[in-house]
Amino acid sequence: MRFLFFLVLLAGIAVGAIYPWAVTNFSGRDIGTWRVYEQGRFKPVTVPLKAGDAPIRVLVDLTARAERIVSQQHAVLTLTAAAGGRTVLASTLQFNRSDPREASPQLPDKIFRDDAGLIRDVSDASYLFTVGPGDAVGIPIRAVDLTLRSDAGEPDGRARPAGLVLGAVGLAGLLLTMIFGGRRPQNPNSQPPPPRWGRGGNTR
């Protein structure tokens, strides 16, 4: 039973965490990556997109000299995407949803990624992407990159709740088997029989 509950726990982690992360970061194909912040300046970028690229996943990578981003629920960056004078995506980014990766083994900088969302309806047009600072302070930003992925998938909204339920069941089952699994009934044959005569023996 312990092994079964361990498998249930692993399934919960896979469904609730690994599956959404993989779909967000790896589904579809890369359109390109653009540097939108460098040397203390933000700059908008214009990207020509086609209707066949839909849906498009918008990802933002922030390079900073920090082990983690502590934004206290404040936005580190803001992002808007517009086409034909109409805003098609507006998002705030906090960069605290996943672990960072190293920018280079020789540098202390870390790269933090956040998902700005999906552009589901895409037309043949030039899209203006504007990234700017949020209201969080004290974030040592080195660079910011915008990555677009076409034909991107979207995680099933039921995956995270299902993963939480499976993980809770698996963890609870493991704890119960560890608590009660060690309490084994004592085998009466494991003790030597009482002496039948002498001091402390059977008087019958």
Side-chain angles (χ1 to χ4, degrees), residues 38-61:
E38 194 172 31
Q39 297 179 349
R41 295 173 52 189
F42 287 96
K43 58 180 181 180
V45 295
T46 301
V47 182
L49 299 176
K50 298 179 180 180
D53 293 331
I56 292 177
R57 172 78 61 188
V58 181
L59 301 168
V60 178
D61 289 331

Side-chain angles (χ1 to χ4, degrees), residues 121-168:
D121 298 321
V122 181
S123 57
D124 295 340
S126 293
Y127 285 72
L128 177 65
F129 293 86
T130 304
V131 177
D135 55 357
V137 296
I139 308 298
I141 301 175
R142 294 299 189 94
V144 178
D145 295 303
L146 171 74
T147 297
L148 303 181
R149 297 184 65 85
S150 69
D151 196 24
E154 187 171 13
D156 193 320
R158 298 168 295 181
R160 292 187 187 277
L164 288 175
V165 172
L166 287 173

Side-chain angles (χ1 to χ4, degrees), residues 76-162:
V76 177
L77 299 176
T78 62
L79 178 144
T80 59
R86 182 175 63 91
T87 299
V88 297
L89 180 66
S91 180
T92 58
L93 307 170
Q94 295 180 336
F95 299 97
N96 55 8
R97 301 179 186 177
S98 60
D99 294 331
R101 63 186 189 272
E102 288 188 353
S104 170
Q106 291 77 29
L107 297 175
D109 297 344
K110 302 289 185 181
I111 299 177
F112 301 83
R113 168 165 285 190
D114 206 348
D115 175 19
L118 278 177
I119 303 176
R120 294 180 174 83
D121 298 321
V122 181
S123 57
D124 295 340
S126 293
Y127 285 72
L128 177 65
F129 293 86
T130 304
V131 177
D135 55 357
V137 296
I139 308 298
I141 301 175
R142 294 299 189 94
V144 178
D145 295 303
L146 171 74
T147 297
L148 303 181
R149 297 184 65 85
S150 69
D151 196 24
E154 187 171 13
D156 193 320
R158 298 168 295 181
R160 292 187 187 277

